[in-house]
Amino acid sequence: MSRIAEVIVLAQDADEVMEPLTRHDDTRTWNGAFSEMRPGGNWGFGWGAEFVRMHSRSGLLKHLESLPWPRPETVQVLIHDEEDDCFGL
């Protein structure tokens, strides 16, 4: 079973929705914080986080599903466990 996982959230126009997730919050069921990814300038729309233990991300997907995405058709959540060859969900 994986011990480390990277999670990437891609979503257009979601800066306001994702901003609270860039800070640690002890009231959430999951532990961690996302960092914004803007590799090529201001057109980026991704956030990434690394989780050290599986239980630290428990409840994350349910939390993401509950958010009021401005453009839900653009939301993608990619997970890469340390044993995986590529990202998936």
Side-chain angles (χ1 to χ4, degrees), residues 6-60:
E6 291 109 13
V7 177
I8 295 176
V9 175
L10 302 174
Q12 291 180 347
D13 302 323
D15 291 333
E16 190 174 308
V17 173
M18 287 298 295
E19 195 281 327
L21 305 184
T22 63
R23 298 184 309 265
H24 288 277
D25 182 348
D26 293 334
T27 65
R28 293 191 293 239
T29 60
W30 54 277
N31 299 319
F34 283 86
S35 297
E36 188 173 11
M37 301 182 306
R38 290 198 183 267
N42 292 329
W43 53 270
F45 52 91
W47 294 264
E50 183 174 272
F51 296 89
V52 178
R53 290 185 170 55
M54 190 165 210
H55 73 73
S56 68
R57 63 183 159 123
S58 177
L60 173 63

